[in-house]
Amino acid sequence: MRVVVDLTKCQGYAQCAFLAPSSFQMQGDEALMYDPEPADDQRERVHRAAAACPVQAIQIDRLSVQDMPPIRTEDRPSRIVIIGASLAGLRAAEALREEGFTGSLTLVDCEDCQPYDRPPLSKQALSGRVPPHGTALPHADLNATWRLGVAAIGLDLAQRRVQLDDGTSVPFDRLLITTGVRARPWPNPVEAALDGMFVLRTRDDALHLHERLAALAPHGAAAHLRTTPPPAEGVAPRSRQAPRVLVIGAGFAGSEVASTCRSMGLDVIVAEAAATPLAGALGGVVGAVAADLQRDHGVDLRCGITVEAIEGDPGGRVRRARFSDGTEADVAVVVAALGGVRNVEWLRDSGLAVGEWGVACDAGCRAFDVNGLVLDDVFVAGDVARAPNAMFGYQFLALEHWANAVSQAEVAAHNMVSDESDRWPHLHMPSFWSLQFGTNIKAVGVPTFADEVVVTQGSVQDRRFAAAYGYKGRLTGAVTFNHGKWLPFYERLIEQAAPFPPRFATVDQPESMVPVAADVPDPKFLARDATVVVTGHDPSSRSATLLRRAR
């Protein structure tokens, strides 16, 4: 039995935790932790929990191929190949079968395992709550050919073939590229090879890092059972004798790793080059709230500095870190959380428009060639795709978010087997979430495409609030801390190009709502006004209408 929860949908109602407490647990006010592979004796409880979820965010083993309708029209591809069998690749394969595609379907991936869910790796898998190899994604019987443990090394557009590193090639009528990203390694190869240097992207990464952290934890491997700090102190106990963990980078991944380490009772240093954690995603104002959250939970947070060097002992193990402010610290484990590198090297001589930004495509997920022309037989989805977003000035955005991967994969699959007149645009509202230090952080829109921010509900002091972001009079994003039930409300406002500051009266509003500068690093929002309003809920009815305002 396999379970996955769309945590961008989850609003923390906790019905699942009430009905199946062995499989679902709440952390903090509204953050959900779950077992992705519950025991068989929990099947009935888990199914009841899924049925009771008010927002239907829980997915359990999907339908088999024979339950899906046959494709209705004649002119369809007979061979579809998907390169990259993670979340986006798997969801696209399922959507193709749901659309009625009955032809040859091949999934290729360099990892030698079935698709698995990555968000739990920095949380319940890293802490030891669930085994990293138990995070497999539930999926249908796809009647597909799986080429696992084999990497794509080249693409021949003229011959419509993908070359693989085992010396074979795969022909296609339609190709979907969902190769995603890999962890950016520590830039010094000698230091990166030290025993105790880690990155976190794959389930093997999570397994090896967990083993090392569990060995260091002051109370042994069972320390992960501590989910909240002791009430009297407000932080997990610190052991001055325990070796310290250094996390380099305070983005979402680095902050989540630090949170898990503190839940295990480990001393943690976090080094961040920006002025606050999460500044690149939420801006400095809300990032300052995240900084207080970390420090209140015992993290030694050092912002505005970089790590100059990692030193090893004579045996090749991590021993010490040197920082740009001239200080040093003895550390036993270093986690480099430096973001991702898009997996596009195999496409550099293909003729596609590829680069460090990923693979460029249109709003229908069709890839561009180097001349900017759209191809009808090559599609892109997920973290590796860079597509124009109508709601944000038609800028090309690459979004490394769970919900975006699912939505884009479904659009790509539909368009691969549909007539031109029935193509869907990818008009997905960006959304993401993070669980750290018992706090559920969620966002919609693009908060960093803003020049101002204002708290619209709740209390920053209590760390239970909603903040709205705006750019030149338009609402562009919203972020909540333990207040996620309100995000659908803000999402609708963003889609309708609502004015900023927000003009609404609702519950839990502060006495004064005065916008302040959002402190967004290097803002790149180019549009001067709202561009569109978005209508429709079903993918076939989603559409963008140009919005013109009097000047």
Side-chain angles (χ1 to χ4, degrees):
M1 183 180 191
R2 294 175 181 173
V3 172
V4 65
V5 180
D6 184 347
L7 290 168
T8 57
K9 283 186 178 180
C10 175
Q11 296 181 3
Y13 288 103
Q15 293 298 306
C16 57
F18 175 75
L19 293 168
S22 296
S23 302
F24 304 93
Q25 301 89 35
M26 300 303 297
Q27 186 176 91
D29 290 341
E30 64 173 43
L32 177 68
M33 301 280 276
Y34 66 94
D35 184 348
E37 199 169 18
D40 285 341
D41 61 5
Q42 295 295 308
R43 180 175 294 273
E44 182 177 352
R45 286 179 175 271
V46 171
H47 275 277
R48 287 183 176 179
C53 176
V55 294
Q56 295 296 286
I58 302 172
Q59 300 174 16
I60 306 173
D61 301 322
R62 292 180 178 273
L63 297 174
S64 59
V65 171
Q66 54 264 33
D67 296 320
M68 299 172 185
I71 206 156
R72 293 183 295 274
T73 55
E74 297 296 329
D75 185 20
R76 291 294 182 265
S78 61
R79 301 172 300 182
I80 291 181
V81 174
I82 300 175
I83 306 298
S86 192
L87 176 65
L90 174 63
R91 183 61 198 123
E94 291 182 313
L96 285 167
R97 293 308 192 196
E98 291 164 2
E99 289 276 348
F101 175 69
T102 57
S104 169
L105 181 59
T106 302
L107 291 96
V108 179
D109 198 279
C110 59
E111 291 195 68
D112 60 355
C113 58
Q114 290 282 314
Y116 59 91
D117 203 22
R118 296 187 191 276
L121 298 183
S122 61
K123 307 172 191 68
Q124 55 262 52
L126 186 58
S127 69
R129 285 181 172 273
V130 300
H133 289 69
T135 59
L137 287 163
H139 64 81
D141 173 13
L142 296 171
N143 189 25
T145 299
W146 295 82
R147 301 289 303 274
L148 302 177
V150 182
I153 59 173
L155 170 61
D156 187 333
L157 287 176
Q159 298 297 320
R160 292 189 177 183
R161 301 187 76 89
V162 177
Q163 289 82 39
L164 307 179
D165 66 358
D166 64 356
T168 64
S169 64
V170 184
F172 64 86
D173 298 315
R174 297 283 190 277
L175 174 68
L176 177 60
I177 299 168
T178 58
T179 44
V181 303
R182 63 185 183 276
R184 186 179 299 278
W186 183 245
N188 185 311
V190 174
E191 296 174 1
L194 290 172
D195 183 11
M197 287 287 297
F198 294 90
V199 295
L200 182 58
R201 177 65 185 177
T202 69
R203 65 183 194 178
D204 285 342
D205 294 337
L207 175 63
H208 297 147
L209 180 54
H210 164 70
E211 290 173 346
R212 183 62 60 87
L213 296 178
L216 295 176
H219 301 293
H224 68 263
L225 295 176
R226 187 188 304 110
T227 58
T228 57
E233 296 291 334
V235 297
R238 299 178 63 136
S239 170
R240 292 301 178 188
Q241 290 72 41
R244 286 182 288 189
V245 178
L246 169 62
V247 180
I248 306 175
F252 285 112
S255 297
E256 289 171 1
V257 170
S259 173
T260 299
C261 288
R262 290 300 297 131
S263 76
M264 298 173 71
L266 290 163
D267 283 358
V268 182
I269 301 171
V270 174
E272 168 57 47
T276 71
L278 309 180
L282 306 181
V285 172
V286 177
V289 181
D292 291 341
L293 183 66
Q294 292 203 20
R295 293 188 173 108
D296 286 352
H297 283 78
V299 173
D300 181 357
L301 176 63
R302 307 182 183 188
C303 292
I305 68 168
T306 57
V307 176
E308 296 290 302
I310 304 295
E311 298 177 356
D313 64 18
R317 295 176 66 95
V318 166
R319 181 181 63 179
R320 183 179 298 113
R322 290 193 288 108
F323 301 96
S324 60
D325 62 357
T327 61
E328 297 180 350
D330 291 335
V331 294
V333 171
V334 178
V335 182
L338 306 176
V341 179
R342 291 177 176 83
N343 294 313
V344 297
E345 290 83 359
W346 66 287
L347 295 169
R348 281 178 176 163
D349 298 322
S350 66
L352 296 183
V354 300
E356 292 184 358
W357 61 81
V359 184
C361 63
D362 72 355
C365 302
R366 295 179 297 178
F368 287 129
D369 71 7
V370 293
N371 298 308
L373 297 175
V374 170
L375 302 177
D376 287 321
D377 53 359
V378 180
F379 293 73
V380 198
D383 294 355
V384 77
R386 187 167 182 260
N389 190 302
M391 287 173 276
F392 298 94
Y394 293 94
Q395 288 196 83
F396 280 76
L397 302 180
L399 301 171
E400 298 176 26
H401 305 323
W402 199 95
N404 182 75
V406 171
S407 174
Q408 202 166 34
E410 292 170 348
V411 169
H414 174 82
N415 291 344
M416 291 173 84
V417 294
S418 297
D419 295 328
E420 185 74 28
S421 60
D422 190 29
R423 292 270 168 87
W424 290 350
H426 178 55
L427 291 173
H428 172 74
M429 175 67 67
S431 60
F432 56 89
W433 62 274
S434 177
L435 167 58
Q436 45 189 270
F437 306 101
T439 298
N440 197 26
I441 302 173
K442 302 181 76 171
V444 292
V446 183
T448 51
F449 281 180
D451 52 13
E452 290 185 305
V453 62
V454 61
V455 174
T456 52
Q457 292 176 280
S459 165
V460 172
Q461 183 177 1
D462 295 339
R463 298 202 183 93
R464 185 192 56 79
F465 66 91
Y469 291 74
Y471 183 83
K472 295 193 174 181
R474 177 194 172 187
L475 188 67
T476 61
V479 172
T480 62
F481 278 49
N482 284 343
H483 219 54
K485 296 179 180 67
W486 281 93
L487 276 187
F489 169 74
Y490 290 96
E491 180 176 350
R492 288 190 293 272
L493 292 176
I494 297 168
E495 285 189 342
Q496 294 306 305
F500 182 90
R503 300 168 187 168
F504 58 79
T506 186
V507 301
D508 202 21
Q509 286 185 314
E511 292 183 4
S512 174
M513 293 198 305
V514 179
V516 298
D519 191 18
V520 172
D522 188 23
K524 296 182 175 65
F525 191 61
L526 304 180
R528 291 294 176 261
D529 293 293
T531 54
V532 301
V533 294
V534 176
T535 59
H537 299 281
D538 185 81
S540 62
S541 67
R542 294 279 278 178
S543 63
T545 302
L546 284 172
L547 180 66
R548 303 188 185 281
R549 288 179 172 170
R551 294 186 180 276

